[in-house]
Amino acid sequence: MSDKTSHPVLSSPGFRELMDIRKGPALGPDEITVSGADPLYTSPLRIGETAAMALAARGVAANDLWALRNGQRQTISIDVLAAAATSLYGGDMTQRRDEAGVYQPIPYSAAIKHMVSLTQPWKGQDGCWLLPHTNLTHLEDRVLSVIGCQSSIDSVRAGVGRWNAEALERAIADAQACAGMVRTPQQWLDHPHGAYLASLPVVEITKIGDSAPEPMSPAALPLSGVRVLDLTRILAGPTAGLGMAEHGADVLMVTAPHLPQVPSFVRDTSHGKRSCFLDMNKPADAEQLHQLVKDSDVFIDGYRPHRLQARGFGAQHLIGLRPGLIHVSVNCYGSGGPFASRAGWDQVAQAVTGICHTQGEALGAGQPKLTPVFMCDFLTGFLASFGAMVALRRRAQEGGSYRVQVSLCQSAMFLQRQGLIEGFEGAPNRLSPEQFERLAVLDDGTVYGDLKTLGPVLKMSLTPCAWLGTTPALGSSAPEWLPR
């Protein structure tokens, strides 16, 4: 089954939820084709189908902009297994050509392996479970200091075992580090923060200022001439920028040499972008960033809540510099609620919202378990680029500045609302070599070597998604915009 009226993705409440957020004209009966089905992963969650509906919605938003530019619509297609594969990373989906000319998987770094070994659910003194997050050295140091343990599995297990889980979750948050107490899905919905998020759409789009409409002129791609400032790191935020680059935007990543990064994540989410260094602690660099804002269209904020506002780059200040700006906020806990000031990661969102509980129960593991992939990160990135393009259409037709808010926890809740599947045992957790070859593209001459990587999986008939240029080294571009 692959037509619009019959495929479960397109007839699902989840896809209708996204189209209700879009608030656009009715779709033609043949505009979207979805093929394939879960599972790719050993998980009861509808990972591929949920990714497919988010990518299909992003395609519709891009199609809306294309129609404004050129007066016509195009057809969109997405394969569920390909959509599921977007949540893979590193050597699973990126290979490098060796000296013999053969593309080989890139091994995970020792640092990533160590982080994964510690960032797991551990049982507290009260019998409840807590997941400490140990990515990035300074955050790991804070977590271990609060727990009172060393950076080893046995020490973390023993350390968490001396605490009540909720008290440790709170203490780590107070230390400006990241952890999540494992809750069941119902416990999360009963929690004040879960109840707050459940009252809101998975993508919040709010008009926050007045400005004149900015019509979309004829162009080669849906986002041609659109300028995006990408102030994000790791996975969810960079995936949002990557999605906009695939539709033709000029995406300029802004970071600084001293900010910690995960090299493999930078490599795999920087396709089609440019990168510059600006240190907001230096007045001259901060002023240069202000100048970039004045000529931008979209600003993606992936910092801890309120961190950029404290540096003079909050949404209200930015729309004063650039009326009509689309401000996109990507974080863990969303737009408000009792946990709004907390930072977090994919695994933390899985823990607090009930995904870990559901995954462990379905596997019969006798304890909570993480899913095989960082689904919350990638789904949040897809939804952020969808929301940004919906806001761009509203700006074109109605005028105004807009705030788009997405979060890892909202994405986790959206994923769970799609229901569970059976028969996932024995799923491969990866594409076959033949499947990978069909979806892979070459990205030669990068700072990381000659690469073969999973290409854009969203297919559009007239404006194929693609990455313009070679995957850049961090800081390799001047802090300036390309000509429109």
Side-chain angles (χ1 to χ4, degrees), residues 75-421:
T75 57
I76 300 163
S77 61
I78 184 76
D79 178 77
V80 169
L81 288 185
T86 59
S87 299
L88 292 166
Y89 73 99
D92 286 311
M93 285 295 99
T94 302
Q95 300 176 4
R96 181 165 47 221
R97 184 156 53 187
D98 63 17
E99 293 180 356
V102 178
Y103 285 94
Q104 302 282 1
I106 303 173
Y108 298 130
S109 70
I112 288 289
K113 292 179 180 178
H114 183 66
M115 181 274 290
V116 169
S117 73
L118 301 185
T119 303
Q120 299 290 334
W122 307 102
K123 185 181 284 188
Q125 188 179 53
D126 56 354
C128 297
W129 296 79
L130 178 120
L131 181 144
H133 204 289
T134 60
N135 200 9
L136 303 182
T137 302
H138 68 293
L139 295 178
E140 179 186 11
D141 290 344
R142 292 176 194 173
V143 168
L144 299 181
S145 177
V146 172
I147 296 174
C149 66
Q150 303 301 311
S151 185
S152 71
I153 290 174
D154 289 343
S155 186
V156 170
R157 179 189 291 113
V160 173
R162 294 189 291 268
W163 284 79
N164 289 340
E166 190 169 11
L168 182 54
E169 178 188 56
R170 184 167 54 252
I172 290 175
D174 290 344
Q176 301 293 292
C178 305
M181 174 181 165
V182 175
R183 296 168 172 85
T184 69
Q186 190 58 51
Q187 285 171 338
W188 178 246
L189 293 175
D190 291 339
H191 188 278
H193 199 90
Y196 170 80
L197 293 180
S199 71
L200 299 168
V202 65
V203 181
E204 297 177 59
I205 304 176
T206 309
K207 187 176 181 180
I208 58 173
D210 294 323
S211 64
E214 299 185 33
M216 306 290 286
S217 58
L221 297 169
L223 292 180
S224 292
V226 172
R227 293 168 167 172
V228 179
L229 283 169
D230 183 352
L231 276 74
T232 68
R233 288 177 287 158
I234 311 302
L235 286 176
T239 298
L242 180 64
M244 302 194 78
E246 289 181 3
H247 294 290
D250 179 14
V251 181
L252 181 61
M253 298 185 292
V254 180
T255 187
H258 68 277
L259 293 176
Q261 302 275 0
V262 178
S264 61
F265 293 171
V266 175
R267 179 195 68 217
D268 292 345
T269 60
S270 298
H271 309 295
K273 303 179 186 178
R274 297 182 299 121
S275 172
C276 72
F277 284 149
L278 289 174
D279 185 348
M280 285 180 281
N281 296 312
K282 298 177 179 179
D285 283 13
E287 175 56 28
Q288 205 160 8
L289 182 54
H290 280 133
Q291 294 303 315
L292 286 171
V293 169
K294 292 179 181 179
D295 292 317
S296 67
D297 298 286
V298 179
F299 184 101
I300 310 176
D301 175 1
Y303 278 68
R304 178 187 290 270
H306 311 301
R307 183 65 60 85
L308 287 187
Q309 182 176 334
R311 286 181 162 85
F313 290 91
Q316 289 298 329
H317 180 67
L318 295 177
I319 67 170
L321 293 173
R322 200 305 192 194
L325 183 70
I326 311 301
H327 182 274
V328 181
S329 171
V330 180
N331 60 39
C332 183
Y333 286 103
S335 60
F339 289 175
S341 63
R342 295 186 180 185
W345 305 73
D346 180 287
Q347 299 96 322
V348 174
Q350 289 194 39
V352 300
T353 63
I355 285 180
C356 278
H357 171 83
T358 298
Q359 180 75 15
E361 187 174 61
L363 293 176
Q367 69 173 74
K369 288 287 185 180
L370 292 164
T371 64
V373 287
F374 299 147
M375 180 57 196
C376 301
D377 272 323
F378 289 95
L379 181 57
T380 301
F382 301 156
L383 293 172
S385 49
F386 160 70
M389 287 190 280
V390 170
L392 284 168
R393 176 174 58 83
R394 293 185 189 174
R395 185 186 75 173
Q397 296 177 316
E398 306 167 18
S401 303
Y402 294 85
R403 177 184 286 127
V404 176
Q405 293 169 291
V406 295
S407 69
L408 301 176
C409 285
Q410 274 281 30
S411 295
M413 295 166 70
F414 182 75
L415 172 60
Q416 292 177 93
R417 286 199 292 275
Q418 311 317 311
L420 304 178
I421 58 174

Side-chain angles (χ1 to χ4, degrees), residues 6-19:
S6 62
H7 197 281
V9 164
L10 297 172
S11 60
S12 68
F15 188 70
R16 291 198 298 273
E17 182 178 344
L18 297 180
M19 291 300 95

